[in-house]
Amino acid sequence: MTDPQIRSATADDLDSVLAFWKTAAEGTSISDDRDGVERLVARDPEALILAEFDGELVGTVIAGFDGWRCHLYRLAVHPERRRRGIGAALLAAAEERFVRLGGRRGDAMVLVDNETAHHAWRAAGYTPEEHWRRWVRPLTD
């Protein structure tokens, strides 16, 4: 199998990314809509990274850097394409971006019940930090 093409998303990709997440991503986010993803790409055009084979979207990761921390979200690989190195290629691209921007450590948002993801993140060298807890508050209704 050849390596996937890795590139940053553009505004033209957003509808296909949102549809892809319904198939490939676990859980949903308050930002999983056209407006939310559009704002992400407008604010940081390199943050949403895509993996493709022959123009077919097969994986995504959001590699957000706020100048202080490197955050990883929405690592998703199409269920029929998993265990072929796509996630690893996406993480490598995200980590290269972080290093280029001066980041020192990546952290990932991973659902507690997503055991498949736990295995993938551990294989990539990430470990859970059980002493942290995410606290959230919606800012809109």
Side-chain angles (χ1 to χ4, degrees):
M1 175 177 225
T2 61
D3 291 334
Q5 177 190 1
I6 304 294
R7 66 175 179 87
S8 297
T10 67
D12 292 338
D13 297 308
L14 303 188
D15 291 329
S16 62
V17 167
L18 289 165
F20 176 79
W21 285 343
K22 289 179 181 175
T23 300
E26 292 289 325
T28 58
S29 168
I30 194 169
S31 302
D32 284 0
D33 58 24
R34 175 89 187 183
D35 289 341
V37 181
E38 207 166 57
R39 274 190 305 277
L40 169 70
V41 171
R43 182 185 176 285
D44 187 351
E46 295 181 349
L48 177 53
I49 302 170
L50 308 181
E52 297 176 322
F53 280 116
D54 298 323
E56 175 193 355
L57 180 59
V58 296
T60 67
V61 69
I62 297 173
F65 182 64
D66 60 13
W68 177 259
R69 307 231 188 218
C70 306
H71 301 288
L72 295 158
Y73 310 92
R74 283 296 190 220
L75 176 62
V77 174
H78 192 282
E80 294 174 6
R81 302 282 193 142
R82 291 180 181 158
R83 302 192 55 80
R84 299 182 191 179
I86 296 166
L90 286 163
L91 284 177
E95 291 167 354
E96 288 169 13
R97 169 179 155 74
F98 291 152
V99 169
R100 190 173 64 248
L101 294 171
R104 297 188 210 166
R105 176 183 65 190
D107 67 61
M109 297 289 298
V110 183
L111 292 171
V112 171
D113 293 334
N114 189 346
E115 290 293 326
T116 301
H118 296 183
H119 295 293
W121 285 103
R122 278 190 180 92
Y126 288 76
T127 57
E129 288 192 343
E130 301 298 337
H131 59 278
W132 293 104
R133 181 75 59 202
R134 181 176 182 220
W135 294 45
V136 299
R137 178 176 181 245
L139 300 176
T140 62
D141 292 331

